[in-house]
Amino acid sequence: MKYQGSIIKDIKLNIKKTGFFILNFNFLLISCLGILPATAATEEPVLSIVHSQENANQWTGITDRLQAVGVKYCVIPLANVKSVTDWGDRRVLFLPNVETLTPTQAITLEGWMSKGGRLIASGPVGSLSAPGVRQLLRSLLGGYWGFSLNETEQIKPTKTKTQDWATQTGMFGKVRGGVVIPNDSIAQAAAVWNSQDNPAAVVTTERSTFLGWRWGTDATSAADLDSAWLKAAVNRHLTALPKGTNKVEGGSQSCSISVATVPTTPTSRIGTATPIKPPSAQNSGQAKHPATDNRTRTQDSKLTTATAPQPRPLPKVTPPRAQEAIDELEQAVRLDITPDSNTPIDNNQAIALQQELENLIGRVESAHLAASTYASSVSETKSDDPPRSRRLRAQSLEEQQTQFASTKLGAPVNSKEQVITQARLIAKNLPQLIAEKNYALARQQWLEAKASLWKQFPVDRRLAQPEIRAVWLDRGTIVRAGSEKGLAQIFDRLAQAGINTVFFETVNASYTIYPSQVAPQQNPLIRGWDPLAAAVKLAHKRDMELHAWVWVFAAGNQRHNEITNVNPNYPGPVLAAHPDWANYDNLGNMIPVNQTKPFFDPANPELRQYLLKLYEEIVTRYDVDGLQLDYIRYPFQDPFAGRYYGYGKAARAQFQQLTGVDPLNISPSQPDLWQKWTTFRTQQVDSFVAQVSQQLRQKRANLILSVAVFPLPELERIQKIQQHWELWARQGDIDLIVPMTYALDTSRFQRLAQPWIASTQLGSTLLLPGIRLLSLPPVGALDQLQLVRDLPVSGYALFAAENFNNELDKLFSSTQGRVKPTTTEPIPHRQPFQTAAVRYTALQREWKFVLQNEQLQMPAKTISDFNNQAEVLQSALNQLASSPSASNLLVARASLTRLKSQFRALMSREVIDNFYQVKVWENRLATIEKLLRYGERRSQLRPQ
């Protein structure tokens, strides 16, 4: 007899993924169907267990062991999980051997855990999921399934840091399992394998327990051992909770309930084991104020002496690690396509797949047009045969399909035209395949089309126009260079790759890369030379710009401490000397829980003066072309999960003076006061950016000021890191915004960058999307670069120099490197009017090229009008570039406005045949308009 019930709700749900994005959708919540026989229960279940297709054939073994443990539980069918509430209201959740979770399920699981839920997992959990899901699960579990062991191995206790709960009788024996790779210091091994190097068999965090074998399967482990581990893990999590907190607030109570045997112990515990002491508080490895930790330390482990917040009994939940914040932004809800998967594809996914394939076709064609146009302009003989490509596109899809149907099945499709035509057919047929529920074939064809299109990019010819081609030159690469001679080789490599702007890491974790008279200590890994002086000389010799990249409010770095062999808790040389400048979270931690960097208090006036003096030293002692502000924010927080930051001594005093309230005594449940506190902190950052801009430009009027920022939605970003860079742009405090729009696929990159590229809230500031090279295949990097060139932006920034390799060197050298060592081209942020003129010349060449090759279908009269307007604009831009003045700017702007207003009408026929290319041309006109606006501000030209 099955226990069944249903509660149907049609509501809207906001699923908030900590720090990154919000999805809104309607969902139907149906209570879990009973899977097991059930008897009446007089006591509430203490555990929820997830049932999925993957563990269905193991379910008998799983339930037999549950009965042996004597645990009462709810069953949660994984297929029903679409929201945070669907994970249930039990405090402990068990994921036995579940290898596939969707992005929505992983994100909602994180939300459930942020409400106090505790997770037990076994086997290769999530190993078949999308990369973004795997990344998130690593954060939640503190590790991941590395690989299976070749044979049965003995589980044994760890030799160090033994956890009391994991030493009970029956927990150690032979098991066929796998190695669990701990994430970092937040995870601990509770048991290890008796094999070489004793790799982890069980990994735990405060919120999770990860068992490194397929729990509940007789071929893997004995039932008694499985039962002992589950009993201990559940008791571990329950005993660590305050009394009466066995439920997760807001979780659904609707699930099937199965009761095995009635336990003989109190309902807050399970099984019959000897009472287990609650696990001791884990050492967070952080510096705390003496109010919470009165130990004394040496300089290598300095403790602050500022008045920090007193610890309060707030729930401790694990935030994303600082390193992972950008990773999760990159990974979340990516367009991941798994080969051979017949998982259903909904309408929204179908549209996204079709659109991405059509966009990729457009990028390939746009790249070929740029390459062919450039080749013709320098009298190169390479021919792309675009007329044939265009004629094929002019055919109807039905004609193309007939043509390909006559081709021998399995015959190779080699030419660019054939690949593009076949890709168009696949894009056209996707909706039909999906409607027929042929999901596996749809995915297979999509992946094959993408791979074929990627091979068609012209990687051996120049594609780039004048643009900002920036790279972050990181501290590690500088240190490894070892000398000016070694650094010269890096700059030679970057120059050959066409890089024209270098963000040179100058201040990292409060250490300067150069011998400073302001900062207390130069980076200890630099000995006997001045990398900044060498970099300025090397860059300028190669006609490159050198911008000093500085960490602003991040004061130290535990990972740097490891490299320099100092105490992990050392807060950096500045906070060690000035502990009153430190910032704290609401628990009194200088470093937020599970993050790695202490932060300064931006409200501290002495700290602000120190930083201003330091930056003034950089821009006056060295002929740097710009200054880039990084970590110009507070660390990540989540106010709705009890994670707050910003309680430095100065901030608390100033806010209390303004409002009469100590900010430590308020919370988001007091919206008016909380908003004032959020605004106060945000204004500390805003005012410092304005102060840097004003003071440094008085010293160096031509200095370029840029910021590296997070591309989160504006309101969410202000709540979580107090970073309001739209305001800095509108006020003219900065010249370049570099959002870290890191993604491993181009569609995700576009979704991150597009809102800011299209924003009208950035004044005349130029925007450079950031591209992370780590784990990105070279052709994937080229695809993202082509997207940047097709959008209305003036360039990009690559993170980082340490990820350059020979394949990328060759690719960049061919597609954007200098044609001759002596040739230079304007850099948009330095010569905006010249850049506008040169870019428009290239755009005009494309129009002439397609007209000459009969690829642009226009009546003769329209062609004449179009050419006339195009020439008028070219003349106006050339005049402005050679003689910048308010009157010439006015003429150029009027000519551009006139052409833009009529462009879509002039291209009325072309937009039907090739919408993507017409949009690209419109974007390039929009880029020229942005350059004129930027140039007006930089040149202080004001048309009357």
Side-chain angles (χ1 to χ4, degrees), residues 456-762:
Q456 302 309 311
F457 273 114
V459 296
D460 58 345
R461 284 170 288 172
R462 186 174 178 82
L463 305 176
Q465 301 178 33
E467 61 193 359
I468 302 170
R469 293 188 283 274
V471 68
W472 280 282
L473 181 45
D474 53 283
R475 171 192 49 78
T477 301
I478 298 167
V479 170
R480 285 190 294 272
S483 64
E484 183 173 332
K485 182 178 179 180
L487 198 60
Q489 297 175 358
I490 295 170
F491 275 86
D492 284 339
R493 188 178 190 181
L494 296 177
Q496 184 62 36
I499 299 299
N500 55 31
T501 304
V502 175
F503 300 137
F504 190 81
E505 193 159 19
T506 303
V507 180
N508 172 298
S510 294
Y511 295 103
T512 55
I513 203 75
Y514 65 94
S516 172
Q517 296 175 6
V518 177
Q521 188 177 354
Q522 185 181 11
N523 192 301
L525 301 175
I526 300 294
R527 294 184 177 88
W529 67 301
D530 185 340
L532 183 56
V536 170
K537 180 175 70 174
L538 294 169
H540 291 172
K541 186 177 180 180
R542 292 158 178 78
D543 293 317
M544 302 162 71
E545 291 211 347
L546 196 289
H547 296 214
W549 159 27
V550 299
W551 290 23
V552 181
F553 294 131
N557 187 355
Q558 289 181 324
R559 291 188 177 89
H560 189 274
N561 293 344
E562 294 176 12
I563 296 171
T564 55
N565 197 30
V566 300
N567 190 291
N569 298 322
Y570 181 57
V574 175
L575 279 184
H578 302 280
D580 280 1
W581 296 359
N583 220 335
Y584 299 92
D585 70 5
N586 52 312
L587 299 176
N589 298 311
M590 188 187 298
I591 302 176
V593 178
N594 293 328
Q595 296 189 36
T596 61
K597 298 176 181 70
F599 272 65
F600 293 121
D601 179 2
N604 189 294
E606 294 178 357
L607 176 273
R608 293 164 74 103
Q609 286 304 313
Y610 164 79
L611 292 176
L612 287 167
K613 188 176 180 181
L614 180 65
Y615 302 157
E616 185 175 321
E617 177 186 55
I618 292 170
V619 304
T620 54
R621 270 183 58 184
Y622 299 91
D623 188 22
V624 295
D625 301 285
L627 184 76
Q628 178 170 97
L629 306 179
D630 194 8
Y631 291 96
I632 182 70
R633 58 176 177 85
Y634 285 70
F636 268 90
Q637 312 130 58
D638 189 346
F640 301 102
R643 300 198 298 266
Y644 324 133
Y645 198 89
Y647 303 95
K649 180 179 179 180
R652 290 177 64 187
Q654 291 175 30
F655 187 78
Q656 189 161 4
Q657 186 176 14
L658 286 170
T659 64
V661 179
D662 184 342
L664 195 59
N665 295 327
I666 64 176
S667 72
S669 63
Q670 302 161 282
D672 292 340
L673 274 174
W674 187 259
Q675 185 55 48
K676 287 181 181 179
W677 172 232
T678 300
T679 300
F680 172 84
R681 288 176 293 161
T682 306
Q683 287 175 347
Q684 305 312 305
V685 182
D686 295 343
S687 62
F688 184 72
V689 173
Q691 198 172 0
V692 170
S693 178
Q694 181 180 4
Q695 187 163 320
L696 296 190
R697 292 186 201 280
Q698 289 176 354
K699 302 292 182 179
R700 293 275 305 278
N702 64 344
L703 190 76
I704 299 295
L705 192 62
S706 64
V707 290
V709 297
F710 273 86
L712 303 175
E714 182 176 3
L715 295 179
E716 181 183 4
R717 183 177 358 106
I718 290 171
Q719 286 290 330
K720 292 182 175 177
I721 56 175
Q722 292 76 55
Q723 189 179 70
H724 195 193
W725 44 264
E726 295 90 342
L727 177 66
W728 315 339
R730 289 196 297 271
Q731 293 180 165
D733 294 330
I734 55 178
D735 301 299
L736 305 177
I737 298 172
V738 190
M740 294 176 283
T741 46
Y742 303 154
L744 290 178
D745 64 82
T746 308
S747 60
R748 172 67 179 157
F749 171 66
Q750 183 168 6
R751 288 197 296 274
L752 283 171
Q754 187 69 50
W756 314 117
I757 293 172
S759 174
T760 59
Q761 304 300 313
L762 304 181

Side-chain angles (χ1 to χ4, degrees), residues 368-389:
H368 275 276
L369 178 58
S372 298
T373 303
Y374 180 81
S376 66
S377 71
V378 294
S379 303
E380 291 185 3
T381 58
K382 292 180 181 179
S383 173
D384 190 40
D385 194 19
R388 179 167 178 253
S389 173

Side-chain angles (χ1 to χ4, degrees), residues 844-858:
Q844 223 183 348
R845 279 202 298 260
E846 286 193 7
W847 294 336
K848 291 178 179 179
F849 185 85
V850 294
L851 282 169
Q852 291 169 0
N853 289 283
E854 299 179 355
Q855 297 175 55
L856 197 57
Q857 303 300 317
M858 282 185 181

Side-chain angles (χ1 to χ4, degrees), residues 252-470:
S252 171
Q253 301 179 19
S254 178
C255 64
S256 67
I257 301 175
S258 294
V259 180
T261 59
V262 178
T264 60
T265 54
T267 58
S268 62
R269 305 274 298 280
I270 66 170
T272 57
T274 303
I276 303 172
K277 296 180 181 179
S280 60
Q282 296 182 13
N283 182 5
S284 65
Q286 300 181 35
K288 290 194 176 187
H289 182 264
T292 59
D293 185 347
N294 292 318
R295 291 169 293 175
T296 57
R297 304 187 182 187
T298 63
Q299 181 175 347
D300 281 348
S301 179
K302 276 193 181 281
L303 264 168
T304 64
T305 57
T307 303
Q310 297 294 322
R312 298 190 295 171
L314 294 171
K316 279 193 174 183
V317 291
T318 306
R321 290 182 297 145
Q323 177 185 349
E324 290 180 346
I326 196 66
D327 295 334
E328 293 185 18
L329 176 64
E330 166 192 319
Q331 298 280 4
V333 193
R334 291 173 46 210
L335 187 61
D336 288 302
I337 308 300
T338 305
D340 304 322
S341 170
N342 210 38
T343 303
I345 301 173
D346 63 30
N347 289 336
N348 291 335
Q349 291 173 316
I351 293 170
L353 289 171
Q354 188 177 39
Q355 186 65 55
E356 170 54 17
L357 203 54
E358 291 172 350
N359 287 343
L360 178 54
I361 293 168
R363 293 193 295 272
V364 170
E365 290 193 315
S366 179
H368 275 276
L369 178 58
S372 298
T373 303
Y374 180 81
S376 66
S377 71
V378 294
S379 303
E380 291 185 3
T381 58
K382 292 180 181 179
S383 173
D384 190 40
D385 194 19
R388 179 167 178 253
S389 173
R390 184 47 179 261
R391 288 195 298 272
L392 275 173
R393 188 165 60 249
Q395 291 178 317
S396 70
L397 282 171
E398 289 74 14
E399 290 172 330
Q400 296 173 35
Q401 198 162 14
T402 301
Q403 178 178 334
F404 272 90
S406 63
T407 304
K408 183 178 179 181
L409 186 64
V413 180
N414 295 320
S415 74
K416 182 202 74 176
E417 293 79 12
Q418 288 178 318
V419 169
I420 288 176
T421 302
Q422 191 171 61
R424 288 186 188 280
L425 291 174
I426 290 172
K428 173 181 178 287
N429 292 334
L430 269 177
Q432 182 63 33
L433 287 175
I434 292 170
E436 295 170 353
K437 299 184 178 181
N438 201 341
Y439 305 122
L441 182 59
R443 288 182 169 92
Q444 177 188 347
Q445 291 189 358
W446 191 94
L447 287 167
E448 289 175 352
K450 178 182 177 180
S452 297
L453 286 166
W454 265 10
K455 293 177 182 178
Q456 302 309 311
F457 273 114
V459 296
D460 58 345
R461 284 170 288 172
R462 186 174 178 82
L463 305 176
Q465 301 178 33
E467 61 193 359
I468 302 170
R469 293 188 283 274

